[in-house]
Amino acid sequence: MKRDRMSGNEAVAFAMKQIDPDVMGAFPITPSTEIPQYYSKYIADGEVHTEFVAVESEHSAMSTCIGASAAGARAITATSSAGLAYMWELLYVAASSRLPITMAVVNRALTGPININNDHSDSMGCRDAGWIQIYAENNQEVYDNYIQAMPIAEHCRLPIMICQDGFITSHAVENIELLEDDQVRAFVGDYEPDHYLLKKGEPLAVGPYGISAYYMEIKKAQAEAMKDSRRRIYEVADAFAELSGRRYGMIEEYMMDDAEFAIVLIGSSAGTAKAAARQLRDAGVKAGVVKIRVFRPFPWEELQAALSGVKAVAVMDKSEGFSGWGGPLFAETRAAMYDVSEAHRPLMMSFVYGLGGRDVTISTFDEIYGDLARTAEAGKVENIYRHVGVRGDEEGIQG
Amino acid sequence: MTEKADYKYRLKDELNKKGRFAPGHRLCAGCGAGVAVNAVLRALEEEDRAVVSNATSCLEVSTFIYPDTAYEDSYIHSAFENAAAMTGGVETAYRVLKKRGKIDENFKFICFGGDGGTYDIGLQSLSGAMERGHDMVYVCYDNEAYMNTGIQRSSATPRFADATTTPVGSESYGKKQNKKDLTAIVAAHGVPYAAQTTMLGNFRDIHEKARRAIYTEGPCFLNVLAPCPRGWRYEMEDLAEICQLAVDTCVWPLYEVVDGEWRLTYEPRNKRPVSDFLERQGRFAHMFRPGNEWMIEEAQQYVDEKWEKLLARCK
């Protein structure tokens, strides 16, 4: 085990180098651009054997990965925002063709208006594409999640996104612990698919016209694979804990054992939420945080266990779903809690925050915890769907 | 490279080879696409393996309907506009896996797209793959409209053609624009080989061009005129004749660009008037109505100008 100072982008590129996959197809887009840049340098210096395909678009990046993966290669890419949106159509194709492509997503707001800063609208937009989605709070998790990606994806034959927050982790430098190259190679192993286009003596056809008589069977098989992936995610996490001493699950519970008020969120803001909860605990408030690590498959069982009995919960979405009723994480978290008995079912509210890089601070979370306490006191939710830190927004949360 | 030195084209020998494109696919009778695919794949040496790929198209939805495939070789399709990039991915995987000692056979990569998937929505993907230099052949089967969705105009549709998004009417004479010159556009990428062909006589032209494209290292391009009986409105048994007329009227000249050098591969002994080609097809029927003579004149003038320019380029 060695320690190094790395940005989130470099940590991903470094993990890629340790794995040395077969094919990388990528196109630059802020803030993920550094990943193919670092990787191109590794190739230029002869440190890896990967073929880098410097495509003319993200659409072609994903197309390259689809072709390469179907051919029998381990294929990777990296992107953000509009780049991910441009891949959209092909994300579904990769998933339905059961190609375990690994994509490093550096989350950035989708254009409208153009903005290069962090939110989760890009990967939330493709949450139903059939990809496993794992999110990171900090640079260590980015690295650790990437090392676990292929053992999960290749076993489940599902593509996987390893997401991190643009600039916040991608460009900030932190001390992280790195595994040795041989440890990573042994952990990730060789990619040995059962069927592939270039297999000797066995031609394979990929990507049929799936008429109504077959289409649903294909979709059901994907759905089953996604359900089963949860077990694999834990298996890989166990093995990773043994290797590194760092343990991961579907979610992370922070001070949740006796929590009365909880914030549920994804990504780097969890660190700020934890700091707020810690301070409130010192003041006697039973605050807790639930961080979603895996969003696809959705950790509904884990959330039920974590949030059952909590008085009031704020679900924080770093993307607008425009449902008129809260963000996507809120909708799914609240749906998961429907099965909890009424006595244990918390009051729940949706807070949309951090869009286009809008900052959130400890005082923001203080405000939200305060709102949760007032809501619990009142015994009912006054306003189910609010925004955080929007100027002139009297219904919203400031701070 | 496994091209045989003692090769000599004989149609009979070629027809005796084991076919790589099985009958029973769902393409229409009289469709040029299936004939083109058969002709191109026949140019592979028997011992070579191939990965055939498709852009979404009539060809794709007619030849790989789950669970049946018409291809003896490995095959992949993923979307409409990305076939060249996807094929580049397959080819890249081949190079890496070979270098890493995971495979030892020889593979060739042949991608088929229609004019919609090639001239239009897939042009960026094609341009990127050609520029990057993947060792592959991209074959456009050009039937001059979006036939799979029902005969809408494409940039390959010739001027005056009656298509469903350029219908003929009291205020419309059909498509207004001339056909995009895609072969020249691809040739301008500096690829080692680009050619125009179609299905003629004993199939020597398409065979030899396909063979050259497959066995030339680097990105190669074939543009195959592949008539569509539904869209062009000709009798299905007339396919061969329509192809011949396209060539003899110089509407579809046959040429190749080898390492930047332009070569005419067929010069009609008697260049026939373009009306001989037009009158056989329902999509041009309005051009023959009284008062519309100017359409035929302008069509002739355009073909003549293009032909003269091509001749000058091939000198």
Side-chain angles (χ1 to χ4, degrees):
Chain A
M1 206 77 76
K2 54 189 175 189
R3 294 182 70 84
D4 206 341
R5 288 143 52 94
M6 278 188 187
S7 70
N9 277 343
E10 189 177 5
V12 165
F14 190 79
M16 287 171 171
K17 181 176 84 163
Q18 291 184 305
I19 294 164
D20 192 8
D22 299 311
V23 176
M24 180 180 204
F27 186 80
I29 181 167
T30 303
S32 62
T33 305
E34 284 181 329
I35 296 173
Q37 275 180 353
Y38 279 120
Y39 208 79
S40 297
K41 185 75 172 110
Y42 297 145
I43 294 172
D45 293 341
E47 294 186 74
V48 287
H49 300 90
T50 311
E51 282 285 333
F52 180 73
V53 186
V55 285
E56 83 299 331
S57 70
E58 291 87 354
H59 199 279
S60 288
M62 187 44 60
S63 301
T64 298
C65 287
I66 287 171
S69 182
R74 186 175 261 160
I76 62 169
T77 187
T79 196
S80 298
S81 182
L84 184 56
Y86 195 27
M87 293 178 179
W88 229 271
E89 170 198 26
L90 297 164
L91 299 177
Y92 286 76
V93 177
S96 79
S97 302
R98 307 296 298 278
L99 302 173
I101 296 161
T102 300
M103 171 152 55
V105 175
V106 182
N107 288 110
R108 161 184 158 185
L110 286 175
T111 297
I114 188 168
N115 175 292
I116 60 164
N117 294 100
N118 169 243
D119 68 34
H120 298 151
S121 54
D122 47 5
S123 57
M124 278 296 143
C126 56
R127 65 189 181 274
D128 298 339
W131 286 58
I132 295 169
Q133 288 190 344
I134 302 185
Y135 291 82
E137 176 185 331
N138 52 45
N139 299 14
Q140 184 70 60
E141 290 186 11
V142 172
Y143 174 78
D144 291 350
N145 287 345
Y146 200 89
I147 301 290
Q148 293 172 69
M150 290 164 196
I152 296 167
E154 289 164 7
H155 177 88
C156 303
R157 293 207 289 133
L158 288 176
I160 190 165
M161 292 180 198
I162 299 299
C163 306
Q164 62 169 312
D165 285 346
F167 294 110
I168 300 169
T169 65
S170 71
H171 284 63
V173 175
E174 290 186 326
N175 279 320
I176 64 172
E177 281 186 7
L178 300 166
L179 299 166
E180 299 297 337
D181 292 355
D182 55 347
Q183 288 180 303
V184 172
R185 292 306 300 270
F187 184 80
V188 176
D190 258 358
Y191 180 46
E192 303 285 355
D194 293 332
H195 308 286
Y196 51 100
L197 295 172
L198 304 176
K199 189 172 179 182
K200 197 166 194 153
E202 190 195 78
L204 175 71
V206 177
Y209 177 33
I211 59 170
S212 312
Y214 295 103
Y215 186 88
M216 256 192 104
E217 281 71 15
I218 293 165
K219 290 291 133 185
K220 174 74 174 6
Q222 279 180 255
E224 289 299 325
M226 188 57 87
K227 274 158 69 181
D228 290 347
S229 69
R230 182 173 170 274
R231 189 176 43 80
R232 181 61 179 175
I233 289 165
Y234 279 115
E235 274 174 18
V236 173
D238 287 347
F240 188 80
E242 215 162 283
L243 180 68
S244 68
R246 295 185 292 277
R247 181 167 290 281
Y248 294 94
M250 298 286 285
I251 63 172
E252 181 195 330
E253 297 180 47
Y254 183 80
M255 295 184 162
M256 283 302 297
D257 282 350
D258 60 345
E260 295 180 344
F261 314 109
I263 284 173
V264 178
L265 78 179
I266 298 175
S268 61
S269 305
T272 316
K274 287 173 184 174
R278 208 160 47 234
Q279 288 180 6
L280 288 169
R281 285 274 172 173
D282 292 342
V285 179
K286 289 186 172 173
V289 176
V290 173
K291 181 181 81 191
I292 307 281
R293 174 177 178 248
V294 182
F295 185 74
R296 284 287 179 268
F298 193 71
W300 59 278
E301 290 166 88
E302 289 79 0
L303 284 169
Q304 282 178 355
L307 300 176
S308 179
V310 173
K311 287 181 179 168
V313 175
V315 183
M316 311 268 305
D317 271 282
K318 221 177 203 178
S319 65
E320 240 306 350
F322 299 111
S323 71
W325 200 66
L329 179 59
F330 172 68
E332 299 200 21
T333 304
R334 197 156 186 263
M337 299 311 290
Y338 185 81
D339 291 329
V340 173
S341 70
E342 208 174 331
H344 292 92
R345 196 187 301 148
L347 296 165
M348 299 182 77
M349 292 181 287
S350 168
F351 290 96
V352 174
Y353 77 109
L355 304 185
R358 181 63 53 96
D359 205 14
V360 282
T361 61
I362 289 176
S363 70
T364 316
F365 289 105
D366 283 344
E367 289 276 333
I368 290 169
Y369 279 118
D371 199 77
L372 288 174
R374 285 190 295 279
T375 300
E377 183 70 30
K380 65 177 168 100
V381 174
E382 282 294 336
N383 191 343
I384 199 163
Y385 165 46
R386 280 181 288 172
H387 291 77
V388 176
V390 179
R391 69 174 68 79
D393 176 13
E394 284 170 14
E395 287 188 335
I397 291 284
Q398 301 298 332
Chain B
M1 186 95 167
T2 51
E3 189 177 4
K4 285 188 184 127
D6 60 348
Y7 155 81
K8 189 169 183 303
Y9 180 74
R10 272 184 298 264
L11 178 63
K12 198 175 156 199
D13 294 350
E14 295 305 326
L15 293 176
N16 283 332
K17 277 162 78 173
K18 186 179 179 295
R20 289 169 178 259
F21 185 62
H25 56 70
R26 272 79 151 179
L27 288 164
C28 302
C31 163
V35 184
V37 171
N38 225 332
V40 170
L41 294 182
R42 219 181 267 135
L44 279 157
E45 294 293 353
E46 280 182 287
E47 62 273 24
D48 282 339
R49 292 193 61 193
V51 177
V52 179
S53 52
N54 273 183
T56 308
S57 54
C58 280
L59 178 66
E60 184 266 326
V61 301
S62 304
T63 58
F64 185 22
I65 305 176
Y66 188 85
D68 303 311
T69 173
Y71 301 92
E72 296 290 337
D73 294 286
S74 278
Y75 169 94
I76 181 167
H77 154 259
S78 60
F80 191 7
E81 70 281 43
N82 73 335
M86 174 193 72
T87 307
V90 176
E91 183 264 351
T92 305
Y94 169 69
R95 279 188 285 117
V96 183
L97 296 182
K98 204 149 199 193
K99 209 162 58 186
R100 289 188 163 179
K102 287 189 164 184
I103 50 172
D104 56 12
E105 293 176 294
N106 282 325
F107 275 88
K108 297 292 171 185
F109 305 95
I110 305 172
C111 178
F112 294 93
D115 50 295
T118 309
Y119 281 74
D120 289 347
I121 200 169
L123 183 61
Q124 170 184 318
S125 177
L126 173 67
S127 174
M130 295 289 109
E131 184 270 334
R132 290 190 296 275
H134 294 288
D135 187 11
M136 59 182 271
V137 183
Y138 190 101
V139 184
C140 176
Y141 74 94
D142 179 1
N143 54 26
E144 302 196 320
Y146 306 151
M147 300 311 184
N148 197 27
T149 44
I151 321 169
Q152 293 81 30
R153 65 87 88 184
S154 76
S155 64
T157 306
R159 188 167 177 227
F160 301 112
D162 181 27
T164 57
T165 49
T166 55
V168 172
S170 61
E171 304 299 316
S172 164
Y173 57 77
K175 196 195 172 198
K176 288 189 173 55
Q177 301 82 2
N178 282 308
K179 185 181 176 81
K180 186 191 279 181
D181 191 352
L182 183 65
T183 311
I185 292 169
V186 176
H189 285 67
V191 298
Y193 189 75
Q196 272 194 189
T197 182
T198 188
M199 291 76 71
L200 284 188
N202 69 353
F203 281 59
R204 179 194 291 270
D205 192 83
I206 190 169
H207 184 90
E208 293 192 336
K209 285 173 180 166
R211 183 181 166 82
R212 183 144 199 177
I214 293 166
Y215 291 101
T216 296
E217 204 179 327
C220 296
F221 178 76
L222 290 181
N223 204 352
V224 185
L225 189 74
C228 165
R230 295 275 296 110
W232 295 18
R233 286 179 267 152
Y234 60 84
E235 294 303 320
M236 64 184 181
E237 59 271 25
D238 292 347
L239 171 62
E241 222 177 320
I242 298 285
C243 291
Q244 189 70 51
L245 282 169
V247 170
D248 285 338
T249 55
C250 299
V251 163
W252 187 256
L254 302 188
Y255 64 90
E256 58 189 7
V257 186
V258 185
D259 291 325
E261 199 177 309
W262 290 61
R263 286 208 295 251
L264 211 58
T265 56
Y266 177 87
E267 196 163 355
R269 216 166 297 153
N270 299 305
K271 182 166 171 276
R272 296 176 64 167
V274 73
S275 56
D276 287 3
F277 174 70
L278 303 174
E279 71 184 359
R280 301 292 294 272
Q281 304 169 54
R283 62 176 173 157
F284 299 119
H286 59 290
M287 298 173 78
F288 294 88
R289 286 183 206 133
N292 287 349
E293 292 79 7
W294 66 274
M295 296 183 193
I296 295 172
E297 281 164 28
E298 288 195 13
Q300 184 66 58
Q301 199 184 335
Y302 177 72
V303 167
D304 290 347
E305 281 170 14
K306 291 284 286 183
W307 176 247
E308 289 306 320
K309 278 184 195 158
L310 180 65
L311 286 179
R313 218 165 183 180
C314 292
K315 287 281 149 58

